[in-house]
Amino acid sequence: MTFAAPSHRRLIGLFVAAILLVSALGAADARAGVHQQTTYVKAGSYRTLATLWNTSAKAEFLCPAGAKIRVRYGGGWFAFHRQNQTLDCTNAKRLSVGKFSAIVARMQIKVAESGNVNWAYITEGPS
């Protein structure tokens, strides 16, 4: 039995079909994984809830009112803060760290009174 080489038109058709199949499957699996967390946080200075490096994730908070959230990049004298927000128990606030963060990123919270904080840790891709 001999096999003929496939034509260019057939190769292009197979390539397009493969791309469509991968994109359809990728869309079904590209949902975010939401993990509900409850963390006891002591009052005082900022406390780290999640540490990330070279990955992407988001966190969503609602309460306690007056709590402050932020993302801290780096450490020591070279640290800087972004996404400073204050919780109001009415609107959900979200922190986001990109995948290509070349330095360590920490999602942090500061509360006036010690207690449990409910928050959602959201990851990209299949859950």
Side-chain angles (χ1 to χ4, degrees):
M1 183 186 288
T2 59
F3 293 100
S7 68
H8 285 79
R9 187 174 293 192
R10 184 175 227 181
L11 283 175
I12 291 171
L14 288 172
F15 182 70
V16 169
I19 289 174
L20 292 174
L21 180 63
V22 168
S23 65
L25 292 176
D29 289 338
R31 62 191 179 280
V34 179
H35 308 281
Q36 294 296 327
Q37 305 284 327
T38 300
T39 305
Y40 181 79
V41 180
K42 289 178 62 176
S45 60
Y46 278 90
R47 309 295 181 191
T48 299
L49 299 174
T51 302
L52 302 143
W53 181 74
N54 199 25
T55 188
S56 61
K58 297 175 183 163
E60 191 170 276
F61 303 85
L62 188 60
C63 289
K68 298 181 183 298
I69 57 173
R70 71 181 183 189
V71 176
R72 177 182 172 98
Y73 292 96
W77 289 80
F78 302 107
F80 57 97
H81 308 106
R82 297 286 186 265
Q83 304 179 46
N84 295 303
Q85 301 176 54
T86 302
L87 304 182
D88 60 8
C89 290
T90 304
N91 302 309
K93 306 289 181 165
R94 189 173 271 201
L95 297 177
S96 178
V97 175
K99 181 177 182 179
F100 298 106
S101 178
I103 56 177
V104 68
R106 295 174 182 87
M107 294 182 181
Q108 298 183 322
I109 189 167
K110 180 180 179 180
V111 294
E113 296 180 14
S114 298
N116 287 326
V117 174
N118 294 318
W119 58 289
Y121 186 72
I122 305 163
T123 57
E124 302 287 325
S127 56

